[in-house]
Amino acid sequence: MKDRVYNFYAGPGALPLPVLERVHSEFFNYNNTGMSVMELSHRTDEIQHIIDDSGARIKRMMNLSDEFEVIFLQGGGSLQFLMVPMNLSHPGDKIDYIDTGYWAEKAIKAAKSLGRDLEIIAASGDRNHTYVPNSDSIQTRSEAKYLHLCTNNTVVGTQFHNFPKVPIPIVADMSSDFLSKAIDPSPCACIYAHAQKNVGLSGVTAVVIRKSILENSPDDLPELLDYRTHIERKSNYHTPPCFSIYVMWQILRWIEEDIGGVEAMEKINWQKSSALYDFIDATPLFDCPVEVESRSRMNVVFRLPTKSLEEQFIQEAFESGLVGVAGHRTQGGCRVSLYNAVTLDAVKNLIEFMDKFAQKTNY
């Protein structure tokens, strides 16, 4: 559509145009119900089908065994920062965390508030979070109930490309790289991701949970904060965010049926990020501070020589229909998010603009 811009916001992020068109076509009359999906009761067969089929598609694309359940919750990643330690440990239990910056720090703060014996067993703050700790060197405490890490760090542009090999279960906050690449889920007890980056709208969070890990959950959890409640009630314990789940379902269909699954999606994401990183590395005006082996395939951060040049770049990009390229408010600089819905054509247009800007600046 000629009047649409190229959206590089870090979240909520771009949505696939085919999905928007499908949602538009069904907006007033979903599945011949004579109603919008937003009007349907959450107790209808139509809504439960959307919930159930979304979970089935995630299990299929992630190659999850029947050991795992997929549930859809509200509250974003921020609520999961609390629900994970509440469900997977008891007060006083040891839990291990990796600190790779902004979102990991929020998860650590939340877990500490619950009275757990939390230890940060690896961190990257010594070099301003421009890398992730080497997965092979991470050592956990043997009595720890789990190891928590944020796989992709949107603010600083770093990413774990493999799970650490540790003897305890892993809890992975995959909010910004969920279903962007193929993974081996076997080391994980829990994976969670709010949807508004790669798989949908704000308002819904996908949680993949290994059922056996819940056998030792505390018995006195509030029902609403107990994973077992939502598994038993099939993500319909209380009114779920039906429209957000519906849009996520449409995106899951798009990834599986149109793109060809997460393996095909991963190849596209590597093409996009490689093209942009190659250009940045070859152009003196732009500098990516992240160590090469730790660079995120989802969020590319870079700087220009001066703050005034960065502001000029961001403004001229916006005027050229390239929106959302400003860095996180705590970091400054520039950031380009390459989530699943961002097309290779969008990246090519960005690189063309960056090249013209560099030539004009003559730096």
Short mmCIF file of all heavy atoms in Angstrom, two decimals, residues 175-238:
data_model
loop_
_atom_site.label_atom_id
_atom_site.label_comp_id
_atom_site.label_asym_id
_atom_site.label_seq_id
_atom_site.Cartn_x
_atom_site.Cartn_y
_atom_site.Cartn_z
N SER A 175 10.79 -12.51 24.60
CA SER A 175 9.80 -11.55 24.15
C SER A 175 10.14 -10.90 22.82
O SER A 175 9.24 -10.57 22.05
CB SER A 175 9.59 -10.47 25.21
OG SER A 175 8.96 -11.01 26.35
N SER A 176 11.42 -10.72 22.53
CA SER A 176 11.76 -10.01 21.30
C SER A 176 12.42 -10.87 20.23
O SER A 176 12.83 -10.35 19.19
CB SER A 176 12.65 -8.80 21.61
OG SER A 176 13.75 -9.17 22.41
N ASP A 177 12.49 -12.19 20.44
CA ASP A 177 12.94 -13.05 19.33
C ASP A 177 12.13 -14.35 19.23
O ASP A 177 12.53 -15.30 18.58
CB ASP A 177 14.44 -13.35 19.39
CG ASP A 177 14.90 -14.02 20.67
OD1 ASP A 177 14.07 -14.22 21.58
OD2 ASP A 177 16.10 -14.33 20.77
N PHE A 178 10.96 -14.36 19.86
CA PHE A 178 10.08 -15.52 19.83
C PHE A 178 9.64 -15.82 18.39
O PHE A 178 9.19 -14.93 17.66
CB PHE A 178 8.86 -15.24 20.70
CG PHE A 178 7.93 -16.40 20.91
CD1 PHE A 178 8.37 -17.54 21.57
CD2 PHE A 178 6.62 -16.35 20.48
CE1 PHE A 178 7.51 -18.61 21.79
CE2 PHE A 178 5.75 -17.41 20.70
CZ PHE A 178 6.20 -18.55 21.35
N LEU A 179 9.80 -17.08 17.97
CA LEU A 179 9.43 -17.54 16.63
C LEU A 179 10.13 -16.76 15.51
O LEU A 179 9.63 -16.72 14.39
CB LEU A 179 7.91 -17.50 16.43
CG LEU A 179 7.09 -18.42 17.34
CD1 LEU A 179 5.62 -18.38 16.95
CD2 LEU A 179 7.59 -19.86 17.31
N SER A 180 11.27 -16.17 15.83
CA SER A 180 12.07 -15.52 14.78
C SER A 180 13.14 -16.45 14.25
O SER A 180 13.77 -16.17 13.23
CB SER A 180 12.75 -14.26 15.33
OG SER A 180 13.77 -14.59 16.27
N LYS A 181 13.34 -17.58 14.93
CA LYS A 181 14.37 -18.54 14.55
C LYS A 181 14.03 -19.88 15.17
O LYS A 181 13.23 -19.98 16.12
CB LYS A 181 15.74 -18.07 15.05
CG LYS A 181 15.83 -17.94 16.56
CD LYS A 181 17.21 -17.55 17.02
CE LYS A 181 17.30 -17.51 18.55
NZ LYS A 181 18.68 -17.26 19.02
N ALA A 182 14.63 -20.93 14.64
CA ALA A 182 14.45 -22.26 15.19
C ALA A 182 15.31 -22.42 16.45
O ALA A 182 16.45 -21.95 16.49
CB ALA A 182 14.83 -23.31 14.16
N ILE A 183 14.76 -23.04 17.46
CA ILE A 183 15.51 -23.29 18.70
C ILE A 183 15.29 -24.73 19.14
O ILE A 183 14.34 -25.40 18.71
CB ILE A 183 15.08 -22.35 19.84
CG1 ILE A 183 13.63 -22.63 20.26
CG2 ILE A 183 15.26 -20.89 19.45
CD1 ILE A 183 13.24 -22.02 21.58
N ASP A 184 16.17 -25.20 20.01
CA ASP A 184 15.99 -26.47 20.68
C ASP A 184 15.39 -26.16 22.05
O ASP A 184 16.08 -25.62 22.93
CB ASP A 184 17.32 -27.20 20.83
CG ASP A 184 17.20 -28.47 21.67
OD1 ASP A 184 16.06 -28.91 21.95
OD2 ASP A 184 18.26 -29.01 22.07
N PRO A 185 14.10 -26.47 22.28
CA PRO A 185 13.47 -26.10 23.55
C PRO A 185 13.78 -27.04 24.71
O PRO A 185 13.36 -26.77 25.84
CB PRO A 185 11.98 -26.16 23.21
CG PRO A 185 11.90 -27.25 22.18
CD PRO A 185 13.17 -27.14 21.37
N SER A 186 14.52 -28.12 24.46
CA SER A 186 14.68 -29.15 25.48
C SER A 186 15.33 -28.67 26.78
O SER A 186 15.02 -29.21 27.85
CB SER A 186 15.46 -30.35 24.91
OG SER A 186 16.73 -29.96 24.45
N PRO A 187 16.24 -27.67 26.76
CA PRO A 187 16.81 -27.24 28.05
C PRO A 187 15.85 -26.39 28.88
O PRO A 187 16.16 -26.08 30.03
CB PRO A 187 18.02 -26.39 27.63
CG PRO A 187 18.26 -26.65 26.19
CD PRO A 187 16.92 -27.01 25.63
N CYS A 188 14.71 -26.01 28.31
CA CYS A 188 13.86 -25.00 28.94
C CYS A 188 12.73 -25.60 29.77
O CYS A 188 12.08 -26.56 29.37
CB CYS A 188 13.27 -24.08 27.87
SG CYS A 188 14.51 -23.15 26.94
N ALA A 189 12.49 -24.98 30.92
CA ALA A 189 11.31 -25.28 31.72
C ALA A 189 10.19 -24.32 31.36
O ALA A 189 9.02 -24.64 31.48
CB ALA A 189 11.64 -25.16 33.20
N CYS A 190 10.57 -23.11 30.93
CA CYS A 190 9.58 -22.10 30.62
C CYS A 190 10.15 -21.12 29.60
O CYS A 190 11.32 -20.73 29.70
CB CYS A 190 9.17 -21.36 31.91
SG CYS A 190 7.99 -20.02 31.66
N ILE A 191 9.33 -20.75 28.63
CA ILE A 191 9.65 -19.71 27.67
C ILE A 191 8.46 -18.76 27.65
O ILE A 191 7.32 -19.21 27.55
CB ILE A 191 9.89 -20.27 26.25
CG1 ILE A 191 11.12 -21.18 26.22
CG2 ILE A 191 10.02 -19.15 25.22
CD1 ILE A 191 11.25 -21.98 24.93
N TYR A 192 8.72 -17.48 27.76
CA TYR A 192 7.60 -16.54 27.68
C TYR A 192 7.94 -15.39 26.74
O TYR A 192 9.10 -15.06 26.53
CB TYR A 192 7.19 -16.02 29.07
CG TYR A 192 8.24 -15.24 29.81
CD1 TYR A 192 8.36 -13.85 29.66
CD2 TYR A 192 9.10 -15.85 30.74
CE1 TYR A 192 9.30 -13.13 30.38
CE2 TYR A 192 10.03 -15.13 31.45
CZ TYR A 192 10.13 -13.77 31.27
OH TYR A 192 11.07 -13.06 31.99
N ALA A 193 6.88 -14.83 26.15
CA ALA A 193 7.08 -13.76 25.18
C ALA A 193 5.81 -12.93 25.05
O ALA A 193 4.75 -13.48 24.72
CB ALA A 193 7.45 -14.34 23.81
N HIS A 194 5.91 -11.63 25.33
CA HIS A 194 4.77 -10.79 24.99
C HIS A 194 4.76 -10.61 23.48
O HIS A 194 5.80 -10.63 22.81
CB HIS A 194 4.78 -9.47 25.74
CG HIS A 194 6.07 -8.71 25.72
ND1 HIS A 194 6.53 -8.06 24.60
CD2 HIS A 194 6.98 -8.50 26.70
CE1 HIS A 194 7.66 -7.46 24.88
NE2 HIS A 194 7.98 -7.72 26.14
N ALA A 195 3.58 -10.45 22.91
CA ALA A 195 3.39 -10.68 21.47
C ALA A 195 3.75 -9.51 20.57
O ALA A 195 3.96 -9.70 19.38
CB ALA A 195 1.93 -11.06 21.21
N GLN A 196 3.88 -8.30 21.13
CA GLN A 196 3.86 -7.12 20.27
C GLN A 196 5.16 -6.81 19.54
O GLN A 196 5.34 -5.72 19.03
CB GLN A 196 3.44 -5.89 21.08
CG GLN A 196 4.44 -5.41 22.13
CD GLN A 196 4.16 -5.93 23.51
OE1 GLN A 196 3.55 -6.97 23.67
NE2 GLN A 196 4.59 -5.21 24.53
N LYS A 197 6.02 -7.78 19.43
CA LYS A 197 7.25 -7.59 18.65
C LYS A 197 7.26 -8.50 17.42
O LYS A 197 7.36 -8.02 16.31
CB LYS A 197 8.47 -7.81 19.54
CG LYS A 197 8.52 -6.82 20.70
CD LYS A 197 9.73 -7.00 21.58
CE LYS A 197 9.68 -6.10 22.80
NZ LYS A 197 9.75 -4.67 22.50
N ASN A 198 7.15 -9.80 17.63
CA ASN A 198 7.23 -10.73 16.50
C ASN A 198 5.94 -11.44 16.13
O ASN A 198 5.81 -11.94 15.02
CB ASN A 198 8.30 -11.80 16.79
CG ASN A 198 9.69 -11.31 16.48
OD1 ASN A 198 9.98 -10.89 15.37
ND2 ASN A 198 10.56 -11.34 17.48
N VAL A 199 4.99 -11.52 17.07
CA VAL A 199 3.83 -12.37 16.80
C VAL A 199 2.50 -11.73 17.11
O VAL A 199 1.50 -12.45 17.27
CB VAL A 199 3.95 -13.73 17.55
CG1 VAL A 199 5.07 -14.57 16.97
CG2 VAL A 199 4.13 -13.53 19.05
N GLY A 200 2.42 -10.40 17.20
CA GLY A 200 1.09 -9.86 17.43
C GLY A 200 1.01 -8.49 18.02
O GLY A 200 1.87 -7.64 17.79
N LEU A 201 -0.04 -8.29 18.82
CA LEU A 201 -0.36 -7.01 19.44
C LEU A 201 -0.01 -7.05 20.92
O LEU A 201 0.12 -8.11 21.52
CB LEU A 201 -1.87 -6.73 19.33
CG LEU A 201 -2.51 -6.69 17.95
CD1 LEU A 201 -4.00 -6.38 18.10
CD2 LEU A 201 -1.84 -5.65 17.07
N SER A 202 0.09 -5.87 21.51
CA SER A 202 0.21 -5.80 22.96
C SER A 202 -1.08 -6.33 23.58
O SER A 202 -2.15 -6.29 22.97
CB SER A 202 0.46 -4.36 23.40
OG SER A 202 -0.59 -3.51 22.97
N GLY A 203 -0.97 -6.84 24.79
CA GLY A 203 -2.14 -7.34 25.50
C GLY A 203 -2.15 -8.84 25.72
O GLY A 203 -2.91 -9.34 26.55
N VAL A 204 -1.30 -9.58 24.98
CA VAL A 204 -1.25 -11.02 25.18
C VAL A 204 0.20 -11.47 25.27
O VAL A 204 1.07 -10.95 24.57
CB VAL A 204 -1.98 -11.77 24.04
CG1 VAL A 204 -1.37 -11.48 22.68
CG2 VAL A 204 -1.99 -13.28 24.30
N THR A 205 0.43 -12.42 26.16
CA THR A 205 1.75 -13.01 26.36
C THR A 205 1.65 -14.52 26.21
O THR A 205 0.80 -15.15 26.84
CB THR A 205 2.30 -12.67 27.77
OG1 THR A 205 2.37 -11.26 27.91
CG2 THR A 205 3.68 -13.28 27.98
N ALA A 206 2.49 -15.08 25.35
CA ALA A 206 2.53 -16.53 25.19
C ALA A 206 3.50 -17.11 26.22
O ALA A 206 4.62 -16.62 26.37
CB ALA A 206 2.98 -16.89 23.78
N VAL A 207 3.07 -18.15 26.91
CA VAL A 207 3.91 -18.83 27.88
C VAL A 207 3.96 -20.31 27.53
O VAL A 207 2.92 -20.97 27.44
CB VAL A 207 3.39 -18.65 29.32
CG1 VAL A 207 4.29 -19.41 30.31
CG2 VAL A 207 3.31 -17.18 29.70
N VAL A 208 5.17 -20.81 27.31
CA VAL A 208 5.41 -22.23 27.06
C VAL A 208 5.96 -22.81 28.35
O VAL A 208 7.00 -22.36 28.85
CB VAL A 208 6.41 -22.43 25.90
CG1 VAL A 208 6.76 -23.91 25.74
CG2 VAL A 208 5.86 -21.84 24.61
N ILE A 209 5.27 -23.79 28.90
CA ILE A 209 5.66 -24.30 30.22
C ILE A 209 5.75 -25.82 30.21
O ILE A 209 4.87 -26.50 29.68
CB ILE A 209 4.66 -23.81 31.30
CG1 ILE A 209 5.16 -24.10 32.70
CG2 ILE A 209 3.26 -24.32 31.06
CD1 ILE A 209 6.11 -23.09 33.23
N ARG A 210 6.83 -26.33 30.78
CA ARG A 210 6.97 -27.78 30.93
C ARG A 210 6.13 -28.21 32.14
O ARG A 210 6.36 -27.72 33.26
CB ARG A 210 8.44 -28.15 31.13
CG ARG A 210 8.70 -29.65 31.09
CD ARG A 210 10.16 -29.95 31.39
NE ARG A 210 11.06 -29.43 30.37
CZ ARG A 210 11.43 -30.09 29.27
NH1 ARG A 210 10.93 -31.30 29.04
NH2 ARG A 210 12.27 -29.56 28.41
N LYS A 211 5.18 -29.08 31.92
CA LYS A 211 4.20 -29.40 32.97
C LYS A 211 4.85 -29.97 34.23
O LYS A 211 4.41 -29.68 35.36
CB LYS A 211 3.15 -30.37 32.43
CG LYS A 211 2.19 -29.73 31.44
CD LYS A 211 1.17 -30.71 30.90
CE LYS A 211 1.79 -31.67 29.88
NZ LYS A 211 0.75 -32.51 29.20
N SER A 212 5.91 -30.76 34.07
CA SER A 212 6.52 -31.40 35.24
C SER A 212 7.13 -30.40 36.20
O SER A 212 7.24 -30.67 37.41
CB SER A 212 7.58 -32.41 34.78
OG SER A 212 8.60 -31.76 34.04
N ILE A 213 7.52 -29.23 35.70
CA ILE A 213 8.15 -28.23 36.56
C ILE A 213 7.15 -27.66 37.55
O ILE A 213 7.52 -27.09 38.59
CB ILE A 213 8.78 -27.10 35.72
CG1 ILE A 213 9.85 -26.34 36.52
CG2 ILE A 213 7.73 -26.13 35.22
CD1 ILE A 213 11.13 -27.08 36.73
N LEU A 214 5.83 -27.84 37.26
CA LEU A 214 4.80 -27.28 38.12
C LEU A 214 4.39 -28.23 39.24
O LEU A 214 3.58 -27.87 40.10
CB LEU A 214 3.57 -26.91 37.29
CG LEU A 214 3.80 -25.89 36.17
CD1 LEU A 214 2.52 -25.66 35.39
CD2 LEU A 214 4.34 -24.57 36.73
N GLU A 215 4.95 -29.43 39.24
CA GLU A 215 4.60 -30.40 40.29
C GLU A 215 5.02 -29.92 41.67
O GLU A 215 4.44 -30.33 42.68
CB GLU A 215 5.23 -31.76 39.97
CG GLU A 215 4.64 -32.42 38.72
CD GLU A 215 5.40 -33.67 38.32
OE1 GLU A 215 6.39 -34.03 39.01
OE2 GLU A 215 5.01 -34.29 37.30
N ASN A 216 6.03 -29.06 41.72
CA ASN A 216 6.51 -28.55 43.00
C ASN A 216 6.13 -27.09 43.23
O ASN A 216 6.71 -26.42 44.10
CB ASN A 216 8.04 -28.70 43.08
CG ASN A 216 8.48 -30.15 43.04
OD1 ASN A 216 7.89 -30.99 43.73
ND2 ASN A 216 9.48 -30.45 42.24
N SER A 217 5.17 -26.60 42.47
CA SER A 217 4.73 -25.21 42.67
C SER A 217 4.09 -25.05 44.04
O SER A 217 3.47 -25.98 44.56
CB SER A 217 3.72 -24.82 41.59
OG SER A 217 4.33 -24.74 40.32
N PRO A 218 4.22 -23.87 44.64
CA PRO A 218 3.56 -23.64 45.94
C PRO A 218 2.05 -23.85 45.85
O PRO A 218 1.42 -23.57 44.82
CB PRO A 218 3.88 -22.16 46.23
CG PRO A 218 5.14 -21.90 45.47
CD PRO A 218 5.04 -22.72 44.22
N ASP A 219 1.46 -24.33 46.92
CA ASP A 219 0.02 -24.62 46.94
C ASP A 219 -0.82 -23.39 47.26
O ASP A 219 -2.04 -23.43 47.09
CB ASP A 219 -0.28 -25.72 47.97
CG ASP A 219 0.32 -27.06 47.55
OD1 ASP A 219 0.39 -27.32 46.34
OD2 ASP A 219 0.72 -27.82 48.46
N ASP A 220 -0.19 -22.34 47.75
CA ASP A 220 -0.96 -21.19 48.22
C ASP A 220 -0.93 -20.02 47.24
O ASP A 220 -1.16 -18.87 47.61
CB ASP A 220 -0.43 -20.73 49.58
CG ASP A 220 1.06 -20.35 49.55
OD1 ASP A 220 1.71 -20.62 48.51
OD2 ASP A 220 1.55 -19.80 50.55
N LEU A 221 -0.66 -20.30 45.96
CA LEU A 221 -0.64 -19.22 44.98
C LEU A 221 -2.05 -18.71 44.72
O LEU A 221 -3.01 -19.49 44.67
CB LEU A 221 -0.05 -19.73 43.65
CG LEU A 221 1.44 -20.04 43.62
CD1 LEU A 221 1.80 -20.67 42.27
CD2 LEU A 221 2.26 -18.78 43.84
N PRO A 222 -2.22 -17.40 44.52
CA PRO A 222 -3.52 -16.90 44.05
C PRO A 222 -3.86 -17.56 42.72
O PRO A 222 -2.98 -17.75 41.87
CB PRO A 222 -3.27 -15.40 43.88
CG PRO A 222 -2.08 -15.10 44.72
CD PRO A 222 -1.23 -16.33 44.70
N GLU A 223 -5.12 -17.92 42.54
CA GLU A 223 -5.51 -18.64 41.33
C GLU A 223 -5.07 -17.94 40.05
O GLU A 223 -4.59 -18.57 39.12
CB GLU A 223 -7.03 -18.83 41.30
CG GLU A 223 -7.52 -20.01 42.10
CD GLU A 223 -8.97 -20.34 41.78
OE1 GLU A 223 -9.77 -19.39 41.63
OE2 GLU A 223 -9.30 -21.53 41.67
N LEU A 224 -5.23 -16.63 40.01
CA LEU A 224 -4.93 -15.87 38.81
C LEU A 224 -3.46 -15.92 38.47
O LEU A 224 -3.08 -15.82 37.29
CB LEU A 224 -5.38 -14.41 38.99
CG LEU A 224 -5.21 -13.49 37.78
CD1 LEU A 224 -6.09 -13.96 36.62
CD2 LEU A 224 -5.54 -12.04 38.15
N LEU A 225 -2.59 -16.11 39.46
CA LEU A 225 -1.14 -16.09 39.25
C LEU A 225 -0.54 -17.49 39.21
O LEU A 225 0.68 -17.64 39.25
CB LEU A 225 -0.48 -15.27 40.36
CG LEU A 225 -0.94 -13.81 40.45
CD1 LEU A 225 -0.25 -13.10 41.61
CD2 LEU A 225 -0.67 -13.07 39.14
N ASP A 226 -1.37 -18.50 39.12
CA ASP A 226 -0.94 -19.89 39.11
C ASP A 226 -1.03 -20.43 37.68
O ASP A 226 -2.10 -20.45 37.08
CB ASP A 226 -1.86 -20.70 40.03
CG ASP A 226 -1.34 -22.10 40.33
OD1 ASP A 226 -0.68 -22.68 39.44
OD2 ASP A 226 -1.61 -22.60 41.43
N TYR A 227 0.11 -20.84 37.12
CA TYR A 227 0.11 -21.38 35.76
C TYR A 227 -0.87 -22.54 35.62
O TYR A 227 -1.48 -22.72 34.56
CB TYR A 227 1.51 -21.87 35.38
CG TYR A 227 2.53 -20.79 35.11
CD1 TYR A 227 3.83 -20.90 35.58
CD2 TYR A 227 2.22 -19.67 34.35
CE1 TYR A 227 4.79 -19.94 35.33
CE2 TYR A 227 3.17 -18.70 34.08
CZ TYR A 227 4.45 -18.83 34.58
OH TYR A 227 5.39 -17.87 34.32
N ARG A 228 -1.01 -23.33 36.66
CA ARG A 228 -1.88 -24.50 36.58
C ARG A 228 -3.33 -24.11 36.34
O ARG A 228 -4.06 -24.84 35.66
CB ARG A 228 -1.74 -25.32 37.87
CG ARG A 228 -0.36 -25.93 38.06
CD ARG A 228 -0.14 -26.45 39.46
NE ARG A 228 -0.20 -25.39 40.46
CZ ARG A 228 0.15 -25.55 41.74
NH1 ARG A 228 0.60 -26.73 42.16
NH2 ARG A 228 0.07 -24.54 42.59
N THR A 229 -3.73 -22.99 36.87
CA THR A 229 -5.09 -22.49 36.64
C THR A 229 -5.34 -22.29 35.15
O THR A 229 -6.37 -22.70 34.60
CB THR A 229 -5.31 -21.16 37.37
OG1 THR A 229 -5.15 -21.35 38.78
CG2 THR A 229 -6.70 -20.59 37.08
N HIS A 230 -4.41 -21.65 34.49
CA HIS A 230 -4.59 -21.28 33.09
C HIS A 230 -4.44 -22.48 32.16
O HIS A 230 -5.07 -22.53 31.10
CB HIS A 230 -3.63 -20.15 32.73
CG HIS A 230 -3.83 -18.93 33.58
ND1 HIS A 230 -4.89 -18.08 33.39
CD2 HIS A 230 -3.14 -18.46 34.65
CE1 HIS A 230 -4.83 -17.10 34.30
NE2 HIS A 230 -3.78 -17.32 35.07
N ILE A 231 -3.63 -23.45 32.56
CA ILE A 231 -3.56 -24.69 31.80
C ILE A 231 -4.89 -25.43 31.88
O ILE A 231 -5.46 -25.87 30.88
CB ILE A 231 -2.40 -25.58 32.31
CG1 ILE A 231 -1.05 -24.92 31.99
CG2 ILE A 231 -2.49 -26.98 31.71
CD1 ILE A 231 0.14 -25.62 32.63
N GLU A 232 -5.39 -25.56 33.11
CA GLU A 232 -6.65 -26.28 33.32
C GLU A 232 -7.82 -25.60 32.60
O GLU A 232 -8.68 -26.27 32.02
CB GLU A 232 -6.95 -26.35 34.82
CG GLU A 232 -8.23 -27.08 35.15
CD GLU A 232 -8.52 -27.09 36.65
OE1 GLU A 232 -7.63 -26.72 37.44
OE2 GLU A 232 -9.66 -27.45 37.01
N ARG A 233 -7.83 -24.27 32.58
CA ARG A 233 -8.95 -23.54 31.98
C ARG A 233 -8.70 -23.17 30.52
O ARG A 233 -9.45 -22.40 29.94
CB ARG A 233 -9.22 -22.27 32.79
CG ARG A 233 -9.52 -22.52 34.26
CD ARG A 233 -10.81 -23.28 34.50
NE ARG A 233 -11.08 -23.46 35.92
CZ ARG A 233 -11.70 -22.58 36.69
NH1 ARG A 233 -12.16 -21.45 36.17
NH2 ARG A 233 -11.89 -22.82 37.97
N LYS A 234 -7.66 -23.70 29.94
CA LYS A 234 -7.34 -23.49 28.52
C LYS A 234 -7.27 -22.01 28.16
O LYS A 234 -7.86 -21.55 27.17
CB LYS A 234 -8.36 -24.22 27.64
CG LYS A 234 -8.36 -25.72 27.81
CD LYS A 234 -9.32 -26.40 26.85
CE LYS A 234 -9.23 -27.92 26.98
NZ LYS A 234 -10.15 -28.61 26.02
N SER A 235 -6.53 -21.26 28.98
CA SER A 235 -6.31 -19.82 28.77
C SER A 235 -7.61 -19.03 28.77
O SER A 235 -7.69 -17.95 28.18
CB SER A 235 -5.54 -19.56 27.48
OG SER A 235 -4.29 -20.21 27.48
N ASN A 236 -8.63 -19.55 29.44
CA ASN A 236 -9.94 -18.90 29.45
C ASN A 236 -10.50 -18.85 30.87
O ASN A 236 -11.70 -18.94 31.09
CB ASN A 236 -10.91 -19.65 28.53
CG ASN A 236 -11.84 -18.70 27.79
OD1 ASN A 236 -12.20 -17.65 28.31
ND2 ASN A 236 -12.26 -19.09 26.59
N TYR A 237 -9.60 -18.69 31.84
CA TYR A 237 -10.01 -18.61 33.24
C TYR A 237 -10.83 -17.36 33.50
O TYR A 237 -11.85 -17.38 34.18
CB TYR A 237 -8.77 -18.63 34.13
CG TYR A 237 -9.02 -18.26 35.57
CD1 TYR A 237 -9.74 -19.10 36.41
CD2 TYR A 237 -8.50 -17.06 36.09
CE1 TYR A 237 -9.96 -18.75 37.75
CE2 TYR A 237 -8.72 -16.72 37.41
CZ TYR A 237 -9.44 -17.55 38.23
OH TYR A 237 -9.66 -17.22 39.54
N HIS A 238 -10.36 -16.24 32.97
CA HIS A 238 -11.13 -15.00 33.00
C HIS A 238 -11.09 -14.44 31.57
O HIS A 238 -10.46 -15.01 30.70
CB HIS A 238 -10.56 -13.99 34.01
CG HIS A 238 -9.16 -13.57 33.71
ND1 HIS A 238 -8.67 -12.34 34.08
CD2 HIS A 238 -8.14 -14.19 33.07
CE1 HIS A 238 -7.41 -12.23 33.70
NE2 HIS A 238 -7.07 -13.34 33.09
#
